[in-house]
Amino acid sequence: MTQILILAGTAAITRRISALPGHQVASVDKEIVEKHAREGDIETLLTRDLGALPEIVIIGDAMPLQEALSIGSLIDRVLPGVELMLISEPDAETALNAMRSGVREIISPLVTDDELLAIVHRAADNLSSRLKPHLAPTVVADIAQSTVIVVISPKGGVGKSTIATNLAVGLGRRAPSHAVLVDLDIQFGDAATLLDLDPAHSIADAFGTSAAMDTLILKTFLTAHAGGFYVLAGDDSPTVGDHVRSADVKHLIDQLASQFRYVVVDTGAGLGEHTLAALEKADEVIIVSSMDVTSIRAVRKELDVLSELDLLPPRRHVALNFADRNAGLTVKDVETVIGLPVAVSVPRSGDVTVAGNRGESLMMAKKPGPVAKAITRLVDAVFDGVPPAAPPAPVAPPAPVAVVDAEAKPSKKKMGRRRKP
Ligand SMILES: Nc1ncnc2c1ncn2[C@@H]1O[C@H](COP(=O)(O)OP(=O)(O)O)[C@@H](O)[C@H]1O
Ligand SMILES: [Mg+2]
């Protein structure tokens, strides 16, 4: 079943497309399309009547051509990968302008029902052979404030990825499109799997030369999660990290921090070179420990090392995972050994395994369980508001669209890091 959205179609064409078998079709009237375009709110326009992102968008013939093309280019920018079609007389000039606006197919108003069916089938086939349409990260100039949160622990298997992924979900829900999760466990990263994503790109692409030069290219390597945030996924090859230097990691985090309000970094166990580089850029750190003596002692040692290296950001949250009253230790004992208060205790719960295996986030469950509640407290500790809305995007002319080159601006660090009181 393909999701088709008709924008500003005449009654006749809307009826004919709606009658095509095997597709879910919604249509939006011209006035409403124009209102959303004026307000620059294309994302709402795309989902308001369909309840999901469309795979095919057909701009109808009730709209003047220039306006249709302007809206086409906005949609092409917001929803890369969508099959964009235009109902219009297919003359050469229109075809060229339409192509520039991202339109893939021009449908003549005189099209027969059989031809219409064939066009839609062809588009659906195209869609099945590539990445589904996804919302592009909003293209904005540098944001003034950003919080980089690095999740660390000396040991593996203690819940870093569980906490980092669910924290990203929680932040994404509060600040849609303003959070990004980076899987910096370059060797064994599994954040994308935990989130049931099938990324077309990985962090390896992000360290390539072109991405390193250009924030906009970097953004095309992010994978959108339905929860309203982005993920820079780990790579399948465990050797990718061998070529990644500390400077690359720091540059990557700076780039993301210039574009996202919240950058959550999941890391591998211990204090590898990449984790240390991330900590240099951290505004906040979440130190994860399981509730056993060896893990707690290791956390203490790790904190001592980081303190000596002056790599502990002032905001530190200890997350005690697998918290258990019967562990033979109290939270107080843990705090005494670690030397820091425990910010949250995350209980052991079968929900985590089930959610991980299903690729569902605990935070999206209708009724949050004890783990989701604990991670929500971490979200509360980190969340510090949503950036002001970007000014509405003007309705662009059909010519190629110029975009702000965020690279040209100074980095967040140079602009002064915001520290919370
Ligand atoms: N609170 C919890 N309750 C039950 N299982 C958990 C909990 N936290 C993590 N797990 C499970 O423990 C394993 C390791 O967690 P993970 O987040 O991948 O750790 P890390 O990233 O530190 O290696 C996973 O199988 C995960 O599902
Ligand atoms: Mg992990």
Side-chain angles (χ1 to χ4, degrees):
M1 171 118 77
T2 321
Q3 315 273 347
I4 304 178
L5 180 66
I6 308 169
L7 300 177
T10 54
I13 199 82
T14 302
R15 195 170 350 98
R16 288 173 63 199
I17 295 170
S18 302
L20 298 177
H23 307 289
Q24 189 191 343
V25 182
S27 65
V28 182
D29 288 345
K30 174 170 173 275
E31 291 69 32
I32 297 176
V33 174
E34 287 170 338
K35 176 176 166 287
H36 283 284
R38 257 196 322 274
E39 292 169 0
D41 188 12
I42 299 297
E43 288 187 23
T44 310
L45 170 66
L46 291 171
T47 49
R48 44 169 281 155
D49 288 69
L50 214 47
L53 286 174
E55 292 157 315
I56 300 176
V57 173
I58 302 175
I59 305 177
D61 40 349
M63 183 153 276
L65 183 63
Q66 283 309 314
E67 215 179 308
L69 292 177
S70 295
I71 286 169
S73 56
L74 287 177
I75 293 173
D76 184 49
R77 250 200 290 173
V78 170
L79 193 64
V82 70
E83 287 282 332
L84 190 57
M85 302 184 185
L86 175 74
I87 299 188
S88 172
E89 290 301 340
D91 59 74
E93 198 190 335
T94 308
L96 186 63
N97 285 334
M99 201 178 69
R100 285 186 180 143
S101 301
V103 171
R104 289 168 190 258
E105 178 112 31
I106 299 183
I107 306 174
S108 160
L110 306 174
V111 67
T112 65
D113 283 349
D114 284 348
E115 284 165 346
L116 200 54
L117 193 61
I119 289 169
V120 170
H121 275 174
R122 196 162 58 231
D125 278 353
N126 283 345
L127 284 162
S128 62
S129 63
R130 58 184 166 78
L131 186 69
K132 282 201 157 226
H134 56 282
L135 288 177
T138 330
V139 177
V140 291
D142 273 12
I143 57 167
Q145 289 188 340
S146 168
T147 306
V148 176
I149 308 124
V150 180
V151 183
I152 61 167
S153 79
K155 297 195 172 227
V158 297
K160 286 181 297 300
S161 300
T162 303
I163 288 173
T165 48
N166 285 296
L167 178 68
V169 176
L171 290 170
R173 292 184 87 176
R174 292 198 193 174
S177 301
H178 291 296
V180 63
L181 170 69
V182 184
D183 192 346
L184 201 61
D185 184 356
I186 299 183
Q187 205 165 13
F188 298 113
D190 47 13
T193 312
L194 289 175
L195 292 163
D196 196 26
L197 293 172
D198 187 12
H201 295 281
S202 79
I203 198 161
D205 300 308
F207 289 125
T209 42
S210 50
M213 304 296 292
D214 189 331
T215 311
L216 291 174
I217 296 177
L218 171 62
K219 282 182 156 191
T220 64
F221 298 142
L222 305 179
T223 307
H225 186 272
F229 64 100
Y230 294 90
V231 179
L232 184 55
D235 197 84
D236 284 338
S237 159
T239 55
V240 159
D242 299 352
H243 312 289
V244 177
R245 298 164 309 142
S246 298
D248 301 328
V249 172
K250 286 189 266 184
H251 182 57
L252 173 73
I253 294 177
D254 274 343
Q255 279 179 301
L256 292 170
S258 77
Q259 299 289 301
F260 290 91
R261 178 71 181 77
Y262 299 99
V263 181
V264 179
V265 185
D266 186 15
T267 64
L271 293 177
E273 175 189 8
H274 301 144
T275 302
L276 290 174
L279 284 167
E280 259 188 67
K281 295 291 171 186
D283 297 294
E284 312 208 7
V285 63
I286 295 175
I287 308 124
V288 186
S289 178
S290 53
M291 204 169 179
D292 57 87
V293 175
T294 54
S295 179
I296 297 162
R297 288 225 174 107
V299 165
R300 173 70 207 221
K301 272 192 219 157
E302 185 166 90
L303 287 171
D304 287 345
V305 172
L306 289 175
S307 174
E308 249 168 61
L309 296 172
D310 199 17
L311 278 180
L312 274 179
R315 289 186 62 86
R316 308 151 194 179
H317 318 269
V318 173
L320 186 60
N321 195 16
F322 300 110
D324 184 352
R325 281 212 185 91
N326 305 317
L329 284 171
T330 63
V331 171
K332 194 103 207 87
D333 295 334
V334 176
E335 291 176 334
T336 308
V337 176
I338 293 183
L340 279 177
V342 169
V344 289
S345 296
V346 185
R348 181 186 293 276
S349 161
D351 295 357
V352 179
T353 322
V354 174
N357 289 342
R358 289 193 184 153
E360 289 166 359
S361 168
L362 295 157
M363 307 291 280
M364 312 261 277
K366 279 206 183 92
K367 222 174 139 216
V371 174
K373 282 186 184 153
I375 295 175
T376 300
R377 284 201 294 282
L378 266 184
V379 179
D380 290 339
V382 168
F383 181 71
D384 192 28
V386 186
V395 175
V401 188
V403 281
V404 184
D405 180 4
E407 269 295 296
K409 302 265 178 84
S411 77
K412 176 191 74 149
K413 299 290 154 180
K414 285 182 209 137
M415 297 192 312
R417 256 187 4 195
R418 182 190 51 79
R419 293 272 188 224
K420 290 178 203 164

